Amino acid sequence: MAGLVKALAAFFRRAEPRIAPSGLGMALDGVIAAGAAVAAATEAARTTSHGPVLGLVAITALPLALRRVFPIAAWLGIIAAIMVVQQTTVPPMTLGAAVFAAYSAIAYSKYRNLAMASVVVVTLAATVYFPLPRFPGRLTAVLAIAPTVIAGLGIRELRRRLNDSAARLRRAANEQEAATLQAIEAERARISAELHDVVTHSVSVMVIQTGAARKMLNTSPGEAEEALLAAEASGRVAMAELRNLLGLLSPGQWDGESAALHPQPGLHELPALIARVSAAGLPVRLDVSGTPRSLPPGADLAAYRVVQEALTNVLRHTANAATAVTIHWGDELVITVSDNGPGTSGNWGRGLLGLRERLALYGGEFDAGPRAEGGFRVRAVLPA
C-alpha cells in the first residue's frame, strides 16, 4: 500500500517545464477576471437583490486573475465558490468562468497529471453530488468540461512542440556559430601557415644571397651582382605569392592588380624553387621517378611546401650542405629531402609541425629526423 501511495505521489508530482507568465499576460487575466465578476454579478442581480449573494457570485470569477500563476488553485477556488452559491443562483457567466478555469488548469499547470486528475475528479463529484438547478441534466457539466480538457491538452502539446522546435533552432544556430568560428580559426591557421612558408623561405634565401653579395662586392663585383639579382628574383616571387594570398583574402581590394595574381605553386614549380635555392649557394639535386600525375590543388600545394620548408631549413641551419630532393610517383607520392649536414636542420618547429597537419588533411604522412649515416631527412607520403 505504501508503495502504491509513493507511486501515485510521484505520478502527480511529475513536473514539466513551464514558461513564466509575462506581466502583460497577468494584467490581461486581471482584466478578464474583473470583467467576468462584474458580468456574473449583473446577471445574478436579475434574480436576486441580496447584496452578500451578489458579492459571492462576483467572487466566483475573480480567481481567473491567477489562472496562469496558480492554475489548479484558481480552478478549485472557482468550483468552491460555485458550491457555496449554487443553492441560490449560478449565472451562466460563472459556469463559463469554471470552464475557462478548467482549460487553464490543463493548459498552464506544470503538474499536468495533477491538473487532469483534479479537473476530472472535481467535475464528476460536482455533477454527482451537487447537480446545479440551471443544468438540464447531471451529465451537462461533464459534457461541458470534456471538450475543455481535450482543448487544454491539445494546446499544451502544441506549445511543447513549439518550444522543442525553438530549442532545436537555438541549438542549430549555436552549432552553426561554433562551426563558423571553427572554420574561421582553421582558415586563420591556414593563412598563418602560408605566410610562414612564403616569408620564411624567401627571406632566408634573400638574406643568404645578399650576405654573399656583400662579401664579394669588392673582390668579385660580377658575382655579387648575380647574387643581388637572385635576391631580387626571390623577393619578386615572395611578393607575387603574398599578393596572391591577399587577393584570395580580400579580392575586392586587389582588382587593379588581378593580372599579377597567379595560382598557388605546385610540384611543377620545383625546378624554379631549386634554381633559386641553388643561386643562394645550396647544392641541390632533384631526382624524379615514376609517372607524374595531377594532384588536387591543395595536395599539390602541400607537396610543394614540403620541399620548400625542408630546403629553407637546410639553408638556415647548414648553409651549404649537399641536398637531394627525390620525388617518386607510384601507388603513392613519396617526397624525400635529405642533406649531409650535422643533422640539426629540421628541428620540430612551427614549419615542420604545420607540414604534418597540412598533409594529414589529404590523408598523407610526414616524418623528419636525423639520418643514421649523418645529416637530416624529411619524408612525406601522399595518396597519388
Side-chain angles (χ1 to χ4, degrees):
M1 188 63 179
L4 178 60
V5 172
K6 290 183 178 179
L8 288 175
F11 178 76
F12 290 125
R13 282 202 307 265
R14 188 179 303 163
E16 297 179 356
R18 187 184 67 169
I19 299 177
S22 64
L24 179 61
M26 294 181 63
L28 179 61
D29 289 342
V31 172
I32 292 174
V38 171
T42 302
E43 290 182 354
R46 297 174 183 175
T47 58
T48 181
S49 59
H50 193 51
V53 174
L54 295 179
L56 289 173
V57 171
I59 292 175
T60 58
L62 290 179
L64 287 177
L66 302 176
R67 70 183 189 91
R68 299 182 205 236
V69 183
F70 302 108
I72 297 178
W75 152 253
L76 295 176
I78 289 177
I79 293 299
I82 290 176
M83 293 302 102
V84 172
V85 302
Q86 63 92 20
Q87 297 298 335
T88 56
T89 179
V90 179
M93 180 57 69
T94 297
L95 301 178
V99 172
F100 192 33
Y103 161 80
S104 300
I106 298 296
Y108 292 106
S109 176
K110 67 178 180 179
Y111 302 105
R112 184 188 63 173
N113 298 333
L114 180 60
M116 291 180 59
S118 65
V119 170
V120 172
V121 171
V122 171
T123 300
L124 292 177
T127 302
V128 172
Y129 295 105
F130 301 99
L132 301 177
R134 285 180 175 267
F135 275 50
R138 290 178 178 268
L139 295 180
T140 305
V142 176
L143 296 176
I145 295 297
T148 303
V149 172
I150 296 174
L153 290 175
I155 293 297
R156 188 185 189 100
E157 179 65 17
L158 177 61
R159 191 163 55 242
R160 184 190 66 79
R161 293 188 179 185
L162 290 176
N163 291 337
D164 290 345
S165 298
R168 285 194 297 270
L169 289 175
R170 287 194 297 270
R171 286 195 300 270
N174 292 336
E175 291 173 359
Q176 183 177 5
E177 182 179 1
T180 301
L181 293 176
Q182 185 177 2
I184 291 174
E185 292 298 325
E187 185 65 10
R188 287 176 177 173
R190 185 191 70 81
I191 293 169
S192 176
E194 294 294 337
L195 289 174
H196 171 273
D197 293 341
V198 172
V199 174
T200 301
H201 170 76
S202 300
V203 171
S204 296
V205 172
M206 292 167 64
V207 167
I208 292 174
Q209 289 170 331
T210 53
R214 177 181 56 81
K215 294 178 181 178
M216 296 183 296
L217 189 60
N218 295 327
T219 58
S220 303
E223 294 182 4
E225 182 180 3
E226 291 181 1
L228 290 175
L229 290 174
E232 180 183 0
S234 297
R236 292 183 183 279
V237 171
M239 285 300 299
E241 286 202 54
L242 289 175
R243 188 179 298 113
N244 180 53
L245 183 58
L246 293 175
L248 293 176
L249 292 177
S250 52
Q253 300 179 9
W254 295 87
D255 291 341
E257 301 184 39
S258 59
L261 301 182
H262 302 283
Q264 292 281 61
L267 290 178
H268 63 282
E269 294 191 18
L270 280 186
L273 171 65
I274 290 176
R276 291 196 301 272
V277 174
S278 298
L282 180 67
V284 182
R285 184 183 77 254
L286 174 63
D287 293 323
V288 180
S289 60
T291 304
R293 296 187 291 280
S294 297
L295 291 175
D300 197 20
L301 174 61
Y304 176 87
R305 295 301 188 205
V306 168
V307 179
Q308 183 186 53
E309 179 68 22
L311 294 179
T312 300
N313 279 349
V314 176
L315 275 173
R316 291 170 59 191
H317 298 285
T318 66
N320 58 355
T323 305
V325 178
T326 302
I327 308 294
H328 176 69
W329 294 90
D331 294 336
E332 297 175 319
L333 170 61
V334 181
I335 303 171
T336 305
V337 181
S338 57
D339 64 76
N340 62 358
T344 59
S345 64
N347 55 5
W348 283 90
R350 178 187 180 92
L352 295 182
L353 291 175
L355 288 178
R356 166 173 283 183
E357 295 177 359
R358 186 194 293 266
L359 291 172
L361 291 176
Y362 303 99
E365 299 176 0
F366 181 80
D367 184 62
R371 299 192 304 168
E373 62 272 24
F376 199 87
R377 186 191 72 168
V378 170
R379 183 175 184 270
V381 180
L382 274 169

